[in-house]
Amino acid sequence: ASKPALQAWEGQPQFVRDVLNFASGEIDYLAEISIPYAELAKETMMGTSLRVTSELLGLSLDLPYPFRKTVEQIRQMVLRLDFSEDSEWVSVRFDNSVGASLLVSNAEFQGGNVILGPDAGLMQFGESIIERPGLSLSGSINHFDYQEWEQTAVKFTEMSGAKRSDIKLADFLSYADVRVGSLVVVEQELENIQTILSRTSVEDDGAEVTKDSWLVQLENEMISGDFIFPDAETTPWRVSLDYLRFPQNEEELEGEEAKEEDIDILENVIPGELPDLVFSTEEFFIGDKNLGAWEFNLRSNGDAASISELRMTTPNAKITDNSEEAGANLNWRYSNGMHTSSFTGLFSAGDLA
C-alpha cells in the first residue's frame, strides 16, 4: 500500500493521517478486523477492532530519532484500533522501542500513555488507564534533540492545516519522566540525565498573579535542579539548582596543563541573546574547585545583559553590593567578538590560601 492509500482508510483518527505526511514509499502489511455480533455491539462500532502489522520495508520516515528510518530498514510495527460509538483507542508498538496507547474521542485527542525503551515491548494493546489529561511519557531513550522535535512539531502543525498559534504543547503533553542518554538543548549536550516534565504555576512577583508554566527537573553528574518556563514570554525563566558542575579544561597550553585563568566557560555566550531569568545554585564547581553558592537576576536587551542582585557565598568569600545588604550589579556586553563588562559591588574575602 502507498501512503495515499493508507491515508484513505476510513475510521482512522485524523492525527494518524497527519503523521503519515512524514512518510514516503510503499509497504506490505497484514490487516485483521474483528467485528462482534450486531446484537452484542448494539448496532454500533462497540467491540470492533482493526489490527495492522508490517515490517515497514519500503517506507521511509522523515521524523527525529527514534522514528527516523530509510526504505531499506526493517522496523516492526503493530497498530491496533479499538472502536466504540464515539471514540477510538489507538495502540501502536514501533520496533519494540516505543509503545503508545492513545484515546481519541469525537475526533479530538484526549490523552494516553507512551512508553520508551525496553519496557515498550511489555505494553498492553487496547484501553489503558489515563491518570491525567494529555499525554504521559515514561521509560528511557538513547537520544533526544529538542530542536529537531520542535521543528517537526511546526511541520506537523502546518501539514494538519492548523495555525501554529492555535496549537500548544500543553494541549497534548502533560507529564514525562524519562531517562535520556543524550539530551541536546540549544546545541548543548547533557549525558545520562533523568528528565521530569510537568505543568505547574508560579507567582509573578510584579503582578501577583499565577502564571501557567512548564516545570523541568533535571539530574545527572553535571546538573541537578528545577527549571520553570512560563507560558507568558514576558515572564522570566526560573532556575533553581542544587549543583552545577563544569568539567576542568583538559587542553594543554604550550605543553602545560591549562591553568584556571585560561578557562572561559562563557566564551561563546552572547549575553544579549540570553533569556530573562532568576537564577540560583547551592553549589557551583569548575573541576574539583567549589566556587560557592550563586544567585542573580538577568535581563537582556538584545545588545547586552544586565545582572542585578548578584550574590556569591563561600566559607571564605562573598559578593554583595557595597552596603553588604543586597546583591551587586553587572553589565555585560558582547561586541566585535569581544566581551566587556562593568561591575558595581563588593568582593570581600578572608584567608584564600
Side-chain angles (χ1 to χ4, degrees), residues 33-295:
I33 186 168
S34 174
I35 303 176
Y37 293 112
E39 182 179 353
L40 177 63
K42 297 181 180 179
E43 299 182 353
T44 70
M45 293 288 288
M46 183 71 70
T48 301
S49 65
L50 173 67
R51 179 185 174 93
V52 178
T53 58
S54 175
E55 293 182 338
L56 300 181
L57 182 64
L59 190 77
S60 66
L61 288 174
D62 185 20
L63 289 168
Y65 179 88
F67 298 103
R68 181 177 289 118
K69 74 174 293 290
T70 64
V71 293
E72 297 87 3
Q73 291 176 315
I74 293 177
R75 308 287 289 274
Q76 186 70 35
M77 183 206 70
V78 181
L79 171 68
R80 177 171 146 179
L81 304 178
D82 292 271
F83 300 96
S84 64
E85 187 171 1
D86 58 1
S87 64
E88 303 93 39
W89 278 97
V90 181
S91 305
V92 61
R93 183 181 297 149
F94 180 78
D95 204 31
N96 279 330
S97 60
V98 181
S101 182
L102 313 175
L103 175 62
V104 179
S105 180
N106 294 318
E108 296 289 336
F109 173 73
Q110 301 298 317
N113 303 300
V114 175
I115 303 174
L116 305 171
D119 289 344
L122 305 177
M123 186 203 75
Q124 300 296 314
F125 286 84
E127 183 176 349
S128 63
I129 297 175
I130 299 179
E131 297 182 354
R132 54 180 66 83
L135 198 61
S136 295
L137 279 71
S138 62
S140 61
I141 187 171
N142 291 333
H143 178 80
F144 185 89
D145 189 316
Y146 174 81
Q147 274 68 37
E148 285 189 354
W149 276 105
E150 184 179 44
Q151 293 168 7
T152 299
V154 172
K155 291 180 182 178
F156 184 88
T157 301
E158 294 172 347
M159 290 178 176
S160 66
K163 294 181 179 179
R164 184 177 178 182
S165 59
D166 293 339
I167 298 181
K168 299 178 181 178
L169 181 61
D171 295 334
F172 300 95
L173 182 62
S174 61
Y175 183 81
D177 186 353
V178 178
R179 169 69 66 175
V180 184
S182 171
L183 174 64
V184 180
V185 181
V186 196
E187 299 182 352
Q188 300 298 314
E189 183 177 6
L190 298 172
E191 296 182 351
N192 193 27
I193 188 162
Q194 189 69 35
T195 306
I196 300 177
L197 175 70
S198 60
R199 294 293 285 170
T200 188
S201 296
V202 295
E203 293 294 327
D204 188 320
D205 296 332
E208 296 184 355
V209 295
T210 301
K211 301 288 187 181
D212 291 329
S213 307
W214 284 106
L215 169 62
V216 181
Q217 298 168 280
L218 301 177
E219 182 177 8
N220 70 352
E221 292 183 356
M222 176 180 172
I223 191 170
S224 175
D226 299 343
F227 294 73
I228 295 178
F229 304 107
D231 292 347
E233 295 181 358
T234 56
T235 304
W237 295 359
R238 300 193 179 197
V239 180
S240 179
L241 304 180
D242 298 317
Y243 57 77
L244 180 62
R245 299 166 179 166
F246 287 102
Q248 187 80 37
N249 190 338
E250 300 295 338
E251 294 182 359
E252 294 186 358
L253 299 177
E254 297 181 357
E256 297 182 1
E257 292 188 359
K259 299 179 180 179
E260 291 178 15
E261 57 265 27
D262 296 318
I263 301 170
D264 186 358
I265 61 175
L266 302 176
E267 179 181 2
N268 297 318
V269 176
I270 309 301
E273 298 178 357
L274 293 172
D276 293 348
L277 62 85
V278 178
F279 175 90
S280 67
T281 181
E282 294 297 320
E283 295 180 351
F284 177 38
F285 280 83
I286 296 180
D288 59 0
K289 186 174 181 60
N290 188 350
L291 301 180
W294 289 73
E295 61 180 272

